[in-house]
Amino acid sequence: KHDVALAILDVNMPGMSGFELAEVIQKNKWSKHLPIIFLSADFTDDQNIFLGYTKGAVDYIIKPFNSTVLLSKIAVFLDLYEQRKLLEEEIAKRTEVEKELRLIQGQLEDRVKERTEELSNTNERLREEINERISIQEKLSLSEKKFRSMIESMEDMAYISDSNRKIIYLNPAMVKFLGRDATGEICHKALHCMNSPCSWCTWQDLRKERPMKYMYKNPSNDRYYHVSNSITRQEEGITHK
């Protein structure tokens, strides 16, 4: 129940000798390393002194003794005991800190593992999305090539203008009709020699996603033409007619 720093035993005690008590002390786990000082006035021969040391004694003092010397020795063992206790407390603190550090390290490793899995899953989704976009882009490119091949081979005239009425494409039939490549020019100026948008222009209706078909008379040559207009939207959100 109490911490013991030092045992001072008289060799000659009633009922149990100091040597016998020392054996009991040595057998107990809690007191196995307890330092023992034997005192004796009767058993002072070398044989008994040697026996005392075999029983775990750190010193064997013959009576009568100098009390100042004994107190000095007791003070040394008490100081050693205090140092041992401080060392044990420091070891206990370090053990607790190491335990906490291992716990934190384990939590960090788990978090790193989770984060790594999240990044791996995100990377996988990005790869799938990129591959899907590449596939879509390839399909769009192929579709565009087919469309361009079709529109360039047909005899009907066709052109594409942006929302600012600037021509961005003319097929060969339209180039032949105009006698030049009018790419980059304003459509009503290039096609009809007009300084303002055509009165029959269908841009407003086309913005409502409604294809338009009509007949109109070209003021530049007084000829009638069947016209089909539709709107196209690029991936970047740009609108063309």
Side-chain angles (χ1 to χ4, degrees):
K1 294 182 180 181
H2 302 282
D3 289 337
V4 179
L6 174 67
I8 301 176
L9 307 178
D10 197 310
V11 176
N12 188 16
M13 297 188 299
M16 177 181 288
S17 70
F19 294 152
E20 292 172 333
L21 180 56
E23 290 180 355
V24 174
I25 292 173
Q26 293 293 313
K27 290 179 180 178
N28 284 298
K29 182 179 180 180
W30 68 271
S31 59
K32 182 177 181 180
H33 300 291
L34 182 67
I36 299 172
I37 295 179
F38 283 118
L39 304 177
S40 180
D42 301 319
F43 302 95
T44 59
D45 56 284
D46 292 342
Q47 183 177 355
N48 279 292
I49 293 174
F50 177 75
L51 180 61
Y53 282 110
T54 62
K55 299 298 182 181
V58 294
D59 203 351
Y60 198 104
I61 300 177
I62 306 298
K63 296 179 180 179
F65 55 81
N66 187 323
S67 59
T68 301
V69 174
L70 179 59
L71 289 174
S72 177
K73 292 183 177 182
I74 292 173
V76 170
F77 283 106
L78 288 176
D79 185 57
L80 291 174
Y81 171 78
E82 291 297 331
Q83 291 182 23
R84 180 174 63 83
K85 293 295 292 184
L86 291 174
L87 180 60
E88 289 176 351
E89 291 175 1
E90 182 63 26
I91 292 174
K93 290 179 181 178
R94 292 193 178 186
T95 301
E96 187 64 26
V97 170
E98 290 175 359
K99 182 180 178 181
E100 293 178 0
L101 288 175
R102 285 194 297 269
L103 178 61
I104 294 172
Q105 182 180 4
Q107 292 174 343
L108 288 174
E109 290 176 352
D110 291 341
R111 182 55 184 156
V112 169
K113 183 179 179 181
E114 292 175 2
R115 184 58 178 160
T116 301
E117 291 178 355
E118 291 176 1
L119 290 174
S120 178
N121 293 335
T122 300
N123 288 337
E124 183 62 28
R125 288 195 298 271
L126 287 174
R127 279 194 294 269
E128 292 176 357
E129 183 177 343
I130 290 172
N131 291 334
E132 183 178 358
R133 285 179 174 269
I134 291 174
S135 177
I136 293 174
Q137 190 64 39
E138 290 175 348
K139 291 179 181 178
L140 287 174
S141 178
L142 179 60
S143 177
E144 182 180 355
K145 288 179 180 179
K146 290 181 178 179
F147 173 75
R148 184 176 290 273
S149 176
M150 178 185 69
I151 200 170
E152 288 186 352
S153 64
M154 70 182 191
E155 295 181 358
D156 293 332
M157 295 175 288
Y159 74 96
I160 299 174
S161 65
D162 61 18
S163 59
N164 295 318
R165 296 183 172 86
K166 182 181 291 186
I167 297 173
I168 61 174
Y169 170 78
L170 301 96
N171 74 337
M174 180 61 82
V175 173
K176 182 179 179 181
F177 170 76
L178 295 176
R180 70 184 191 283
D181 184 353
T183 301
E185 298 181 28
I186 303 302
C187 59
H188 53 265
K189 290 184 178 181
L191 303 180
H192 311 302
C193 300
M194 298 173 62
N195 293 323
S196 59
C198 308
S199 60
W200 59 87
C201 185
T202 58
W203 257 111
Q204 297 302 323
D205 292 323
L206 289 174
R207 286 193 175 96
K208 299 176 182 179
E209 309 287 343
R210 294 188 298 185
M212 302 293 294
K213 292 183 179 181
Y214 56 92
M215 179 181 289
Y216 86 102
K217 183 180 179 180
N218 190 331
S220 65
N221 57 16
D222 290 331
R223 295 183 62 180
Y224 286 91
Y225 294 90
H226 289 281
V227 178
S228 177
N229 283 341
S230 61
I231 199 165
T232 61
R233 296 187 185 277
Q234 301 299 313
E235 185 177 357
E236 298 82 1
I238 301 173
T239 304
H240 296 153
K241 180 186 78 167

